[in-house]
Amino acid sequence: MVNEKENVIVMIGPTAVGKTKLSIELAKKINGEIISGDSMQIYKGMDIGTAKIKRDEMEGIPHHLIDIKEPTESFSVAQFQALVRPLITEISNRGKVPMIVGGTGLYIQSVIYDYKFTESNTNEALRIELEKKVESVGRLSLYEQLKKVDPVSAQKIHPNNVRRVIRALEIYYDTGKKMSEIEETNQHDPIYNVALIGLTMDRSILYKRINERVDLMVEEGLVEEVKCLYDQGLRDCQSIQAIGYKELYDYFNGNQTLDEAIEALKQNSRRYAKRQLTWFRNKMDVKWFDMTPPITLDEKLNEIFQYVAGKFYVKEN
């Protein structure tokens, strides 16, 4: 628990809305350091598909929680919270302004609010048993099981998110409590002094940008990047469930053509952007800034800086 409220800037928004460039410019203006709030940019070797910032794009701004895990490793929202909160204090103690930038809503929510996780510690034996059940009867059977014991959680969790389905079942069978009931007890008062910035854009323009970004990713070598992971034998890993990777795995497995895989990637990215906006609007108290052209980055940067300065005092570099 944080004893004194530290200043934290959070910049959220859907994929392709322009968070990366704007966050760099804001960080330069306020002497900030950026903590990645993306659940997939933590993985090494997954650069193009996660739209990971390149070294030269950082413009000297320190970035944290990028490339900290191997693609074979799992990563949870609880681990993210445990890493980010001390990092916020460390950055603040150096006289810098911590900025969390990303699009994974639950991860960011877990940090800035008094978000406590379930009482259940990992029950390794139970987890292994549930994982074996996935192999023997399939993920949908396990999801149906979750729908029976905790329908509220089942409604929130996608059937393909096997890790979350297993975790919800593990909590239920280990504690006798539903994950949804435990999460309901979480307080949603910020434990930091937060300037919560949301970037949005006209939907049709955003979708066009997403499609163009996917085409650029393919040009930059996305297919080759994913093929490298595929050739290493990575299967059924949390990392490979990421958009941009699972679609191309379908192509490598012979389930669809490359054109079909790329089209599926575009469609899934657009759907994800829509889900991101819905999450942010329903779950977080966000100050929204419209990035729809012809607004310029400089104009929007000044508007956001004024908002941040009104929330807490920051010196302009």
Side-chain angles (χ1 to χ4, degrees), residues 183-283:
E183 289 181 345
E184 274 298 313
T185 64
N186 284 322
Q187 298 299 311
H188 293 292
D189 296 322
I191 63 171
Y192 298 100
N193 189 19
V194 179
L196 188 46
I197 299 159
L199 307 184
T200 187
M201 184 177 286
D202 175 82
R203 188 69 58 89
S204 62
I205 295 174
L206 178 65
Y207 285 176
K208 183 174 182 289
R209 284 169 61 108
I210 289 171
N211 291 341
E212 290 170 349
R213 171 184 272 192
V214 171
D215 289 335
L216 182 59
M217 286 176 171
V218 173
E219 288 177 23
E220 291 180 339
L222 175 62
V223 178
E224 292 76 13
E225 176 176 279
V226 182
K227 185 63 160 61
C228 182
L229 299 171
Y230 185 87
D231 289 345
Q232 290 174 36
L234 268 71
R235 304 289 189 276
D236 301 320
C237 299
Q238 179 183 344
S239 59
I240 303 306
Q241 299 305 311
I243 295 172
Y245 296 85
K246 59 184 179 182
E247 294 86 0
L248 287 171
Y249 262 57
D250 279 342
Y251 162 60
F252 296 133
N253 286 329
N255 297 328
Q256 55 186 6
T257 67
L258 179 57
D259 285 345
E260 288 171 339
I262 292 170
E263 187 52 45
L265 169 51
K266 289 178 179 179
Q267 184 181 66
N268 288 338
S269 296
R270 295 192 300 267
R271 287 173 175 170
Y272 179 58
K274 185 178 180 181
R275 291 198 304 273
Q276 285 177 300
L277 283 167
T278 300
W279 174 280
F280 297 140
R281 285 176 175 143
N282 291 343
K283 300 281 188 178

